[in-house]
Amino acid sequence: PAHKRKGRSQIKVSTKQPGFWSRRKSLESDLKSQVTTQNSRILIFSLNMNDKNSDRSIILIVDDNQTNLDVLFELLRNYGFKVLVALDGESAIEQIAYIHPDLILLDIMMPGIDGFETCLRLKADQSTRDIPIIFMSALSDTLDKVRGFQTGAVDYITKPFQHEEVLSRIETHLTIRSLQKKLEEKNLEL
């Protein structure tokens, strides 16, 4: 199966199991963990909140294509980001309830709810509406891009993508979001 990778261990747990959250700390130290929930699979990659780079941003990649996941995972991990992966929109929404990413890379064409619907649901939720979402899709028609922006995405990258472009766009939107947060904090002080 696509979720089994050579040379990497996997841990299967259910969030419903007794003691799940107490074991979470040890799970986070693993390079790769698989969390199985009721109807979907959530993969947590390269997430160690206690490491020396704990101030690095958390990026959630939502894509059903294993090749895309592998390329993006390696690129972002090597660049120093903490990387989470969801294989579909429903599991992405589930995962965000547990770990709040700083930015989401979202494919459009996926099984179940598509990227547009996933984005709409995230933007409708008060707790997730401010997370920057960048669509990554092979759909390159102008109407698809416009629809992406209308659903609440901050950017749109067409596949196949260039590594430098992806990194530049991620850094740009993380910077913008960081500045927005600082402005909101300053306004609260007034």
Side-chain angles (χ1 to χ4, degrees):
H3 68 278
K4 292 195 178 195
R5 302 188 46 162
K6 271 177 147 179
R8 295 190 179 168
S9 61
Q10 293 187 3
I11 298 172
K12 295 182 182 183
V13 298
S14 169
T15 56
K16 307 289 185 208
Q17 287 178 339
F20 170 78
W21 291 110
S22 64
R23 291 190 306 272
R24 179 174 171 222
K25 193 168 224 150
S26 66
L27 290 174
E28 289 175 344
S29 66
D30 290 317
L31 175 63
K32 179 179 177 183
S33 302
Q34 178 176 328
V35 179
T36 304
T37 59
Q38 291 177 342
N39 295 320
S40 59
R41 199 168 62 232
I42 299 171
L43 301 176
I44 303 173
F45 293 95
S46 190
L47 181 62
N48 183 342
M49 301 303 282
N50 298 319
D51 69 8
K52 63 182 177 187
N53 294 322
S54 62
D55 60 333
R56 285 305 288 170
S57 298
I58 299 171
I59 309 290
L60 171 62
I61 306 169
V62 186
D63 199 323
D64 62 327
N65 182 299
Q66 188 64 43
T67 303
N68 292 340
L69 292 174
D70 290 343
V71 170
L72 285 168
F73 170 73
E74 289 301 321
L75 172 68
L76 297 175
R77 187 182 63 129
N78 290 338
Y79 200 70
F81 291 108
K82 294 179 177 77
V83 182
L84 306 173
V85 172
L87 301 175
D88 57 49
E90 291 165 351
S91 56
I93 291 168
E94 255 180 65
Q95 184 167 345
I96 291 170
Y98 302 108
I99 301 173
H100 203 78
D102 298 301
L103 185 137
I104 300 169
L105 295 175
L106 181 59
D107 185 28
I108 293 175
M109 297 183 298
M110 297 181 293
I113 62 172
D114 67 11
F116 293 130
E117 179 62 25
T118 302
C119 186
L120 285 170
R121 290 184 189 185
L122 291 170
K123 294 302 176 180
D125 185 329
Q126 179 70 28
S127 67
T128 58
R129 75 172 40 151
D130 293 329
I131 300 172
I133 297 173
I134 299 176
F135 277 120
M136 297 188 71
S137 180
L139 300 175
S140 59
D141 187 64
T142 301
L143 292 177
D144 293 315
K145 293 178 183 179
V146 169
R147 184 174 175 202
F149 288 116
Q150 289 173 340
T151 61
V154 296
D155 213 336
Y156 194 108
I157 301 171
T158 55
K159 296 176 186 174
F161 53 83
Q162 299 298 316
H163 293 189
E164 297 81 8
E165 178 186 9
V166 172
L167 291 171
S168 293
R169 290 178 188 254
I170 287 172
E171 286 292 340
T172 296
H173 291 293
L174 288 174
T175 300
I176 290 169
R177 183 61 194 133
S178 174
L179 292 171
Q180 287 173 331
K181 285 181 181 178
K182 287 179 184 175
L183 182 60
E184 290 167 6
E185 289 170 7
K186 290 291 183 188
N187 283 338
L188 289 176
E189 292 175 7
L190 297 176

